[in-house]
Amino acid sequence: MSELNTTEELLEKTSVRSLVLRLGIPAMFGQFFNMLYSIVDRIFVGQIPETGGIALAGIGVCTPALTAVTAFAYMVGIGGASFMSISLGQKNHQQAKEILGNSLLLFFFIVNPKLKQELQ
């Protein structure tokens, strides 16, 4: 694969199976280590003298909120990136730019709901 100089050439000339293995496996390891970090973090927090139980309760209360924020970020990020990649694959660069702009705008609206009111 050393003869492929750009990412575009790599994506056009390489089979989907090898691309999934080449790009998907590192992503799976990243998720695995993220979950491992969360588990180890709880172990250490639980060992804090006197306040470990309260700290674990705080983590337990905040985790669903963090999961919801992460889910919305993934929805906008991965959804926008997938749709933009399809447009780039079709050589429709103008639509890809519009998708990128809309994804960023949606992200900012999710982060700051008052932004929509300020723009009007």
Side-chain angles (χ1 to χ4, degrees):
M1 282 194 207
S2 61
E3 69 274 356
L4 302 174
N5 296 327
T6 65
T7 304
E8 188 173 347
E9 290 175 357
L10 175 71
L11 293 174
E12 286 177 351
K13 297 179 181 176
T14 308
S15 71
V16 173
R17 175 176 279 205
S18 76
L19 285 173
V20 166
L21 291 175
R22 187 172 177 183
L23 301 173
I25 290 177
M28 287 189 294
F29 276 115
Q31 289 294 326
F32 171 74
F33 286 117
N34 191 15
M35 291 303 299
L36 184 64
Y37 171 79
S38 178
I39 293 168
V40 171
D41 189 36
R42 287 175 187 236
I43 291 170
F44 279 110
V45 167
Q47 298 298 319
I48 298 173
E50 296 179 20
T51 59
I54 295 171
L56 276 175
I59 290 174
V61 168
C62 293
T63 300
L66 180 63
T67 302
V69 169
T70 303
F72 279 109
Y74 281 160
M75 176 185 70
V76 173
I78 294 174
S82 299
F83 196 36
M84 187 178 72
S85 296
I86 291 168
S87 296
L88 288 174
Q90 295 171 344
K91 307 285 190 219
N92 191 346
H93 296 282
Q94 181 60 34
Q95 185 179 13
K97 288 178 185 178
E98 291 172 4
I99 293 167
L100 177 62
N102 289 335
S103 295
L104 283 172
L105 202 59
L106 180 60
F107 171 74
F108 287 129
F109 285 154
I110 289 172
V111 171
N112 184 6
K114 295 180 182 179
L115 183 65
K116 185 176 180 182
Q117 296 170 355
E118 293 172 7
L119 290 176
Q120 291 179 349

